Amino acid sequence: MEGSVLDLSPVLPVVALEDAADAVPLALALAAGGLTALEVTLRTPGATDAIRAIASEVPQVTVGAGTVRTPEQAEEAVAAGAGFLVSPGSTGHLLAGLRASGVPFLPGAATASEVMVLLEHGITDLKFFPAEPAGGVAFLRALAGPFPQVRFCPTGGVTAESALAYLALPNVVCVGGSWMVPEDALAGRDWGRVTDLARKAPLRAG
C-alpha cells in the first residue's frame, strides 16, 4: 500500500448513488470541475457497480469506497476497482481487513480515545466523523495539541462555507462532503451544476 487518502485532494466528494448508471456521468462532471477523487458510499445496492463503472470508464478519477464496515465489504470494493477505502469507525477485525486490502484506507474516529487506539496501530491519517455533531472545528483544534502527528479528513455535515475553516487547521489536510452533489442535482442529472459546484470547491484555505 502506498500513499494516503488524505493526499488525493483537499476536497473529497462523498456520494450515495441509487442508480449505478449515474456513476460515470457524475464522475466526469466532478472531474470537469477539478475534483478527481470520489468516495462512493456502500449505502446503496448499486454502490459496488458504480465503483466498477467509474474505475473502468473514468481512469482520470480515483474512486474509493466509503462506509466500509466489514473486511468482506473491503474485499468486494477493491475487487470492483476501489482505489481507497474509508470507514466511519474502526475495530480490530475491520482494521485487519483494511490492511489486507492493499489500498490506502482511512478509518474513522470521533473521540480522543479512538484516536489513541488507532495510533497504537500505527495509523496517523484519520477520518473525523461525524465532524459537525462531534465538535467540528473547535474539537479538531483541541486535538492538535495532544496529537500533533495526526492528520484528519473531517466528514459529516461539512459545507462549502465550513470547509474553509476546517482546511485552515494545521491538522486538517482534506475535507469530505456532498455539497457539490446536491440531491436535486443528482436526481435531475444536472451534471453542469455539479461541475460548477465542484469548480467552486476550495482547494485550500485562504
Side-chain angles (χ1 to χ4, degrees):
M1 182 184 71
E2 296 181 1
S4 170
V5 179
L6 298 188
D7 297 321
L8 290 172
S9 172
V11 174
L12 182 63
V14 179
V15 299
L17 287 170
E18 296 293 342
D19 189 345
D22 292 333
V24 167
L26 173 62
L28 290 170
L30 290 169
L35 298 181
T36 56
L38 167 64
E39 175 188 329
V40 175
T41 68
L42 301 181
R43 300 179 186 177
T44 62
T48 303
D49 288 337
I51 291 169
R52 184 177 294 107
I54 296 170
S56 63
E57 299 182 45
V58 196
Q60 66 269 36
V61 170
T62 302
V63 61
T67 321
V68 177
R69 292 158 294 173
T70 68
E72 292 75 21
Q73 285 183 321
E75 185 176 356
E76 291 172 6
V78 172
F84 63 91
L85 304 170
V86 182
S87 65
S90 66
T91 66
H93 184 56
L94 176 59
L95 287 176
L98 293 174
R99 287 191 188 279
S101 72
V103 301
F105 60 89
L106 198 64
T111 68
S113 293
E114 291 171 0
V115 171
M116 292 172 68
V117 169
L118 289 167
L119 282 174
E120 289 181 353
H121 286 270
I123 300 170
T124 57
D125 285 1
L126 313 180
K127 171 181 178 175
F128 176 53
F129 175 84
E132 285 295 299
V137 171
F139 190 81
L140 281 178
R141 185 181 294 115
L143 289 182
F147 308 115
Q149 74 274 50
V150 179
R151 306 192 306 167
F152 292 96
C153 175
T155 305
V158 179
T159 66
E161 293 73 25
S162 63
L164 287 170
Y166 280 110
L167 288 169
L169 296 174
N171 57 347
V172 170
V173 182
C174 77
V175 296
S178 56
W179 73 85
M180 71 295 292
V181 189
E183 289 185 6
D184 58 341
L186 185 58
R189 296 178 170 83
D190 189 349
W191 309 127
R193 183 179 171 202
V194 170
T195 294
D196 184 55
L197 290 170
R199 190 174 288 123
K200 295 174 181 177
L203 294 183
R204 65 198 58 208

